[in-house]
Amino acid sequence: MLGAKGAELANLARLGMPVPPGFTITTETCRRYLADGTVPADLWYQVDSAMRGLERESGRAFGSGPRPLLVSVRSGAAASMPGMMETVLNVGVNDEVAARLAAWRGERFALDVHRRFVEMYAQAAMGAPAEALEAVKADARASAGASRIEDLDPADGREMLSHMLSAVEEETGHAVPFDPEEQLRGAVEAVFRSWNSRRAADYRAHHGIDPGLGTAVTIMAMVYGNADAESCSGVLFTRDPATGERRVFGEYLPRSQGEDVVAGVATPMPLDDMVGELPEAHGRLIEAAARIEAHYGDAQDIEFTVESGEPFILQTRAAKRSARAAVRIAVEMCDEGVRTPDRALLSVPAERVYELLLPRLDEGEAALARDGGRLLTEGLGASPGGVTGAVALSADRAVEMAARGLRVVLVRPETSADDVHGMIAAAGVLTARGGATSHAAVVARGMGKPCVVGTESISVRPDLGRLACGGRSVAEGEELSIDGETGEVFLGAIATVEPHFAEERHLGRLLGWADERRRLGVRANADTAADAALARGFGADGVGLCRTEHMFFEPERLELVRRMILAASAHARWPEDELTAWRLRDSLSRLQEMQSRDFEAILREMDGMPVVIRLLDPPLHEFLPTRDELLEDLHRLRADRAPADRIAEREEMLAAAEEMREANPMLGLRGCRLGIVHPEIFAMQVRALSDAVRALGAEGLSPRPEVMVPLVADAAELRAVRSIIEGALTGAAGPGGERPPGLRVGAMIETPRAALTAREIAGEAEFLSFGTNDLTQLTFGFSRDDAEGGFLARYIEGGVLSSDPFLTIDRAGVGSLVERALRQARGAGLKVESGVCGEHGGDPASVAFFEEAGVDYVSCSPYRVPVARLSAAQAAIGRA
């Protein structure tokens, strides 16, 4: 109701923190305003009443008196959205009030306050373009020969303010309001409207924040970090937001207001420097920070202002932090007795764990780049990770370039909330100005993207399509590499290396607690021995999906698979032809040897753990060239008068492709249907698996393979394939007549009918595995390949769907089918194991659903295994 900012300010006031007096307009009021575009009838009466209370508490009068009361008007949603909505400072100032401020604090101060209000109000409430106001300031600096606007003498400052007011009226057709009450009302409505700004909408969409929440509006008495030499504004973190180290970390700007620091308009000073400048204020801030962190039991991001040596706390919130910092803080706070292991597990968003597995710049290549003169500059490493990308000099360009498939580094003088859509599209962010608490740093950390800020030697010129540094120029589209830990910026590409998971000590402890707490098993989708080794290293409980078709696409194997397809096609037409039968046997035998070696390697890596082997799933035509490619080849071969046997081979392949051609191949001859029509293929795979199991058993290992039958829609299909498997096992008996250990056989539930008839299918299976990728396609009637590149994005943007159903399970439709299938199987007293092997197995929200549904395990890509382990623990804690 009060938004995070309003609620936390109320908490701070209760704690006795030095918070300026103020009040909050609720999020409900915003929602009512956005619904019909008008304020509730009694709002201004209530605001006027609250303002009278604020005057009594502060001992000042709003917009009048010898020390006039000015206020800040700030946004604040229930979910933190740093910098995404409007703030207007110094509301209540006009020419008369500025004269009183000048008498109180001096003319430079009064002009600075007045100018800041005009800039912020004109943009937020009146829609004046920032470029027009920046042009006025640039002209004033040039005319006076000043490097900063704050350095203008009073005469030049008055002239600049006059030009700015004229520019606002010219651009908007309206004058900036003189009446303080009108200013206050305009600022409040501007904050309400900013909830639906593009940058706020982009940020919400990226972070999954409910667009229906609305923002609160907090109105506070102004305190002035620009009052005198003993005044400043800044931001501090109770722990280092990049590393998680237990130390107060922060930055401040003398003679500034708070927006200067977070907007990155200048590179601030380290908080430690305040010890020498304002020692008493520094000590009181450190003491307040410790009390605030202890109260919340979490690392805090605290905005403060010091006015004439007196510190004030303007805001606190849970600190945005890098993934590494989040894990370290969680574990160390547990060691300090601040948190329990359960609270530590819940404090780290599971998705963030994935960031610890992201690449960093190769140190060897980076060293060579330094020696070779390719180190362009150094700034502040604000968000860890390394990336190479093409330079984009505006947010819109970043979106355009990323849409063309380019990896992009967004380079800006400093970022603002208007750049969020570009930051979402970019792989990394680089700014010329700003510190580790600037907008770019905070937002990039929240997104888990590498970020370097404060590279002041860089001149960013979007108007010229280039950036310059130390006599060197880099054009938009050229490559840069940035290191978000060291702050280094290199010309050209630098290779990246994978992190060492075993060295992540704090993560290892956190995931150890997760394994003790979770009920769900976590397996990996692994098609090679390398995948399996990686998954085991990441803590997988086994392999939940091995897609055997992925073993066939190497050039040597692909040629052999094509020979097998041609032989199978010919054998179906001429079953009595001995040559055709021999060609089929030969190709199957050679494929069996290759596949057996593959199975052996995967089972060796996962020794003692279950490995689910899915029999061949895709249509056979996917292994053949397309019809157009074959026709083109034939035309070229005939034109070149190629040997007759090569032409005949291509003609045979074209005939097979024509024979297998289907109007809708994803619903055609694939999965279990393929095995029933061509039983020799499934039989070959089972024999290969049997050979691998026998070989490993002879070495004293304990392979645990399971065979999964894809695309089952009817129990009769599963019975037919089980018969093929049984026959293959009998034929695979060893020299002494012994058979390898029995293989568990399960069904892949990918069709709605399979889910609806799960009772019958489970009667034929030892396990069920939900292939939620295809189950989602077939339930929605969406083609995943087409929808995700087409209308699906429009559906999500327009609110037709709340999320991508291929990324997060659709609980109402697909999820209800999963639940129904499980109820059917268990209701019949069948003790079949159940798993999920679609991409949803690595999505935290989907994992929570599978925990509720009672699924036994999820399977996901190896790099998502740590995410799923933590998600499973969080889901279990949530249900406890």
Side-chain angles (χ1 to χ4, degrees):
M1 183 172 66
L2 299 179
K5 187 175 298 179
E8 304 310 359
L9 284 167
N11 281 331
L12 291 174
R14 289 196 195 98
L15 285 174
M17 293 290 107
V19 176
F23 59 92
T24 299
I25 301 171
T26 65
T27 57
E28 180 187 3
T29 309
C30 174
R31 291 192 293 272
R32 290 169 63 187
Y33 175 84
L34 294 176
D36 60 18
T38 60
V39 297
D42 59 345
L43 175 63
W44 299 133
Y45 171 80
Q46 293 185 44
V47 168
D48 289 343
S49 176
M51 286 297 293
R52 302 294 80 81
L54 185 53
E55 288 178 325
R56 288 191 296 273
E57 190 169 353
S58 66
R60 303 180 189 181
F62 181 48
S64 64
R67 293 178 58 190
L69 171 66
L70 304 184
V71 296
S72 62
V73 179
R74 297 172 179 266
S75 60
S80 178
M81 295 171 56
M84 295 302 110
M85 290 174 291
E86 298 293 358
T87 288
V88 184
L89 302 182
N90 307 311
V91 175
V93 69
N94 54 33
D95 291 342
E96 293 178 4
V97 171
R100 293 188 176 98
L101 292 175
W104 175 38
R105 290 285 193 182
E107 191 169 9
R108 281 182 183 272
F109 165 73
L111 284 166
D112 191 43
V113 167
H114 201 173
R115 184 265 306 172
R116 289 172 183 273
F117 165 72
V118 170
E119 275 194 87
M120 299 179 83
Y121 187 90
Q123 293 178 66
M126 302 175 68
E131 296 80 5
L133 305 183
E134 287 295 329
V136 172
K137 292 195 294 182
D139 289 344
R141 286 195 303 268
S143 177
S147 60
R148 302 186 314 146
I149 205 70
E150 292 81 3
D151 296 333
L152 297 178
D153 63 33
D156 291 330
R158 286 193 298 272
E159 183 179 1
M160 181 213 65
L161 181 59
S162 176
H163 289 319
M164 185 174 287
L165 289 165
S166 297
V168 171
E169 190 163 1
E170 182 179 335
E171 292 286 346
T172 67
H174 299 281
V176 174
F178 185 87
D179 178 33
E181 299 289 346
E182 185 180 350
Q183 293 176 10
L184 181 59
R185 296 180 183 192
V188 169
E189 291 191 49
V191 173
F192 285 158
R193 290 194 300 272
S194 70
W195 175 256
N196 284 334
S197 67
R198 175 183 174 178
R199 67 198 190 198
D202 286 344
Y203 189 90
R204 287 196 298 270
H206 183 74
H207 289 277
I209 298 172
D210 182 357
L213 291 175
T215 180
V217 180
T218 294
I219 298 172
M220 296 173 63
M222 281 295 303
V223 288
Y224 302 102
N226 57 338
D228 52 34
E230 292 190 334
S231 302
C232 65
S233 293
V235 177
L236 69 81
F237 293 84
T238 57
R239 306 204 179 203
D240 190 312
T243 68
E245 181 183 353
R246 190 182 183 184
R247 69 182 183 97
V248 174
F249 170 89
E251 297 169 328
Y252 75 103
L253 276 172
R255 288 183 176 271
S256 69
Q257 292 196 336
E259 292 299 303
D260 296 345
V261 180
V262 296
V265 298
T267 300
M269 300 167 62
L271 188 67
D272 291 344
D273 289 2
M274 193 189 288
V275 175
E277 300 296 326
L278 299 167
E280 184 179 348
H282 179 271
R284 289 168 65 184
L285 284 171
I286 298 300
E287 180 184 348
R291 287 185 59 200
I292 293 170
E293 181 183 272
H295 173 75
Y296 286 101
D298 193 12
Q300 295 293 295
D301 169 355
I302 299 171
E303 292 183 21
F304 65 87
T305 285
V306 178
E307 180 185 306
S308 301
E310 185 74 19
F312 293 89
I313 305 298
L314 304 183
Q315 179 178 348
T316 191
R317 59 190 172 202
K320 297 290 184 184
R321 60 203 80 176
S322 71
R324 184 165 284 104
V327 171
R328 179 174 176 176
I329 289 168
V331 171
E332 291 188 352
M333 281 192 158
C334 192
D335 292 341
E336 294 161 16
V338 177
R339 293 177 174 169
T340 63
D342 276 8
R343 188 174 174 196
L345 288 166
L346 292 174
S347 71
V348 179
E351 190 66 40
R352 300 296 306 278
V353 172
Y354 181 67
E355 296 165 27
L356 294 181
L357 314 179
L358 296 176
R360 60 180 184 272
L361 296 186
D362 180 271
E363 180 51 42
E365 283 205 19
L368 290 174
R370 291 186 202 101
D371 295 341
R374 288 171 52 204
L375 178 61
L376 183 65
T377 188
E378 290 185 67
L380 300 172
S383 184
V387 67
T388 292
V391 169
L393 296 173
S394 73
D396 289 341
R397 286 287 293 147
V399 171
E400 292 170 14
M401 293 164 69
R404 300 202 308 267
L406 293 175
R407 182 178 290 271
V408 175
V409 173
L410 176 63
V411 183
R412 299 287 290 149
E414 71 273 339
T415 65
S416 70
D418 290 325
D419 293 313
V420 167
H421 59 295
M423 297 179 74
I424 292 170
V429 179
L430 170 65
T431 68
R433 296 191 290 271
T437 57
S438 65
H439 175 272
V442 171
V443 174
R445 275 197 297 272
M447 293 181 178
K449 297 189 177 188
C451 178
V452 175
V453 299
T455 52
E456 293 191 331
S457 58
I458 287 182
S459 171
V460 183
R461 295 296 304 271
D463 55 326
L464 300 179
R466 62 176 176 80
L467 62 90
C469 181
R472 290 189 280 192
S473 180
V474 180
E476 188 166 58
E478 292 187 41
E479 285 189 318
L480 285 181
S481 299
I482 63 173
D483 189 322
E485 292 191 37
T486 66
E488 293 174 303
V489 181
F490 296 94
L491 293 167
I494 292 180
T496 54
V497 295
E498 302 298 325
H500 298 291
F501 182 74
E503 295 175 4
E504 296 288 348
R505 179 171 55 88
H506 292 99
L507 180 58
R509 291 184 62 197
L510 188 75
L511 292 178
W513 298 338
D515 291 341
E516 293 171 4
R517 205 68 176 82
R518 66 183 167 95
R519 179 196 65 82
L520 270 172
V522 177
R523 303 186 190 179
N525 302 337
D527 307 326
T528 66
D531 289 344
L534 191 64
R536 189 157 194 164
F538 286 152
D541 301 322
V543 170
L545 175 64
C546 175
R547 293 158 288 207
T548 55
E549 61 271 12
H550 288 186
M551 301 172 178
F552 292 155
F553 283 106
E554 293 179 10
E556 177 189 357
R557 297 183 179 196
L558 184 58
E559 191 60 34
L560 192 56
V561 171
R562 288 173 174 174
R563 285 183 55 195
M564 182 267 290
I565 291 171
L566 295 179
S569 177
H571 185 64
R573 291 194 298 272
W574 305 297
E576 305 302 323
D577 184 78
E578 292 185 8
L579 179 60
T580 298
W582 176 85
R583 287 172 60 192
L584 179 58
R585 287 195 303 271
D586 179 64
S587 57
L588 287 169
S589 175
R590 293 172 64 185
L591 282 172
Q592 180 177 324
E593 291 178 12
M594 292 178 177
Q595 190 134 81
S596 180
R597 290 196 297 270
D598 291 337
F599 290 151
E600 187 176 331
I602 292 173
L603 290 167
R604 186 187 302 279
E605 289 291 349
M606 302 302 291
D607 184 46
M609 293 185 174
V611 176
V612 176
I613 307 290
R614 184 177 73 183
L615 298 174
L616 194 66
D617 181 41
L620 290 181
H621 76 85
E622 288 194 6
F623 297 100
L624 299 177
T626 67
R627 179 175 179 274
D628 289 344
E629 288 173 338
L630 288 168
L631 286 171
E632 187 177 328
D633 280 354
L634 270 173
H635 178 75
R636 180 177 48 80
L637 289 171
R638 287 166 178 159
D640 294 344
R641 297 186 179 182
D645 59 337
R646 288 188 61 194
I647 293 175
E649 178 197 24
R650 261 344 196 205
E651 289 173 337
E652 186 180 3
M653 194 170 290
L654 177 61
E658 291 280 14
E659 183 182 331
M660 296 174 189
R661 196 174 178 187
E662 296 174 309
N664 195 338
M666 289 303 293
L667 301 180
L669 186 61
R670 56 166 289 222
C672 66
R673 307 159 198 164
L674 175 66
I676 292 169
V677 173
H678 293 287
E680 63 276 5
I681 298 175
F682 278 13
M684 175 274 292
Q685 292 191 293
V686 173
R687 289 194 299 270
L689 183 57
S690 180
D691 291 346
V693 170
R694 186 182 299 106
L696 293 172
E699 296 179 23
L701 299 180
S702 303
R704 292 177 54 194
E706 303 178 354
V707 175
M708 183 157 67
V709 181
L711 208 69
V712 171
D714 192 282
E717 291 177 316
L718 185 57
R719 280 194 297 273
V721 176
R722 287 194 71 119
S723 177
I724 296 167
I725 293 170
E726 183 64 27
L729 288 173
T730 300
E738 75 282 3
R739 284 177 46 162
L743 304 178
R744 281 164 41 97
V745 177
M748 197 169 183
I749 307 299
E750 309 173 78
T751 69
R753 190 182 192 283
L756 295 171
T757 61
R759 184 194 306 268
E760 291 76 16
I761 292 174
E764 301 289 337
E766 280 83 37
F767 67 91
L768 302 177
S769 183
F770 293 91
T772 53
N773 294 346
D774 269 2
L775 188 57
T776 298
Q777 288 197 100
L778 295 173
T779 302
F780 273 96
F782 290 169
S783 164
R784 181 179 186 181
D785 294 337
D786 298 325
E788 291 195 316
F791 65 85
L792 194 53
R794 293 284 297 276
Y795 266 39
I796 295 168
E797 289 170 7
V800 178
L801 291 175
S802 60
S803 61
D804 185 338
F806 293 108
L807 298 179
T808 298
I809 194 77
D810 161 47
R811 286 180 173 238
V814 179
S816 66
L817 287 173
V818 171
E819 290 175 317
R820 176 171 177 151
L822 292 172
R823 283 197 305 271
Q824 280 197 22
R826 291 164 185 160
L830 301 169
K831 295 183 179 180
V832 292
E833 188 178 39
S834 60
V836 170
C837 59
E839 290 301 315
H840 300 99
D843 170 62
S846 302
V847 170
F849 167 76
F850 298 134
E851 166 67 26
E852 295 168 19
V855 170
D856 294 313
Y857 68 85
V858 295
S859 188
C860 54
S861 70
Y863 282 100
R864 306 291 297 181
V865 165
V867 176
R869 290 167 65 191
L870 181 55
S871 299
Q874 292 172 342
I877 294 168
R879 296 191 70 213

